[in-house]
Amino acid sequence: MMRKALFMAFFAVALTANAQEKKWYDNFKFSGYGMLQYQANDKKNAEENAFNLRLMRMIMDGKINDFDWRVQIQGTSNAGPGNPTVQLVDLYTEWSKYKAFRVKVGQFKRAFTFENPTHPITQGWYSYAMVINNLVGFGDRTGEKSSGGRDMGLQVQGDVLKLASGRNLLHYQVGVYNGEGINARDKDNRKDIIGGLWIMPVEGVRIGAFGWTGSCVAVGNKNRYALSAEYDKDQYTFRAEYVHSQGMGANAALGDKADGFYAFGIVPVVKSKLHAKARYNLYRQSKEWASSKTMYEVGLNYFFTKNLQLNAEYARVNERLGHNNYNFVDVELDFRF
């Protein structure tokens, strides 16, 4: 009798463990994407005509009870000091039991600007706007290594003030970060603090503001803010953001201030098949017009399927520093799996 009871108990535990394992497996997802690129420009004494592997990412997502988690590994043909061709870009978990109060810890996107957290394919252009690339940590003017807008830290965020329709009116987020970018411990024991707040007055509209204060070992303090507005609904996307930075860059000759602005529209010509787009893209590396670079961009995005698209764009580029005016072309084949 005792042997039978022990056998039944063991059998019950095994069934429970098996059920839990299946539940964990059901909440696990493996995905990824690739971005293949061709670029050409006729900039004087710096002409380019080349194929490029812009990006490859492998992603694992899962859920354990009230915790979401993600691991993301990136491969790219762009290599350099502190920027290997294969590296870990995301590793975090987020307690998401309450929509009004979620806590994320690990390595993830900084809580700064609307554009930074957007998916590289969904973003719709050959690259993020120049001001995002230079002032949000993709290749920061402070000399920080390229980190894809990410850092290590802890972030709290939530959606509050629910309306009768069920939609929330307000979103907040605030994070504390090392300030060193990805895969790096804090070098000066001083943290970057970044926060954002936006309202959603009607469906598809966001109007927000962001602030950032922190430090960098090589260049002292940095203080930044961003003002943002977006409409995104029914395949119509319009977004504009202004970002301002105060804090000495890696090149002291550029001074301690920089700013930039972009505005774009992407609209369906044939819904779910063909989109047209235009973007004004400006960055001033010294917050002076003499240091500005401006790109006037137009293009088309064609969707073979929802997971395979061809993007093409042309830009007229004006670089006041060096008095360069030239043409730029980018064509990409992007896929997801």
Side-chain angles (χ1 to χ4, degrees), residues 55 74-87 89 138-139 144-148 182-183:
L55 207 59
Q74 171 180 291
T76 177
S77 62
N78 301 318
N83 183 25
T85 56
V86 177
Q87 60 185 337
V89 291
F138 285 80
E144 176 192 309
K145 66 181 180 181
S146 180
S147 297
I182 61 174
N183 305 324

Side-chain angles (χ1 to χ4, degrees), residues 128-141:
Y128 293 91
M130 289 186 290
V131 69
I132 303 298
N133 283 329
N134 285 281
L135 300 182
V136 188
F138 285 80
D140 206 281
R141 82 186 298 263

Side-chain angles (χ1 to χ4, degrees), residues 7-34:
F7 174 78
M8 294 300 293
F10 176 80
F11 185 68
V13 170
L15 285 176
T16 302
N18 188 51
Q20 289 176 341
E21 183 177 352
K22 286 184 177 179
K23 183 178 180 181
W24 176 87
Y25 180 82
D26 289 341
N27 287 318
F28 174 82
K29 179 183 177 183
F30 176 78
S31 62
Y33 59 92

Side-chain angles (χ1 to χ4, degrees), residues 1 54 57 68 93 105 117 122 134 184 208 233 239-240 292 295 316:
M1 182 66 70
R54 178 182 169 189
R57 285 187 179 159
D68 299 315
T93 184
V105 62
T122 305
N134 285 281
K233 185 180 177 184
R239 186 186 308 131
S292 70
M295 300 182 71
R316 181 64 177 171

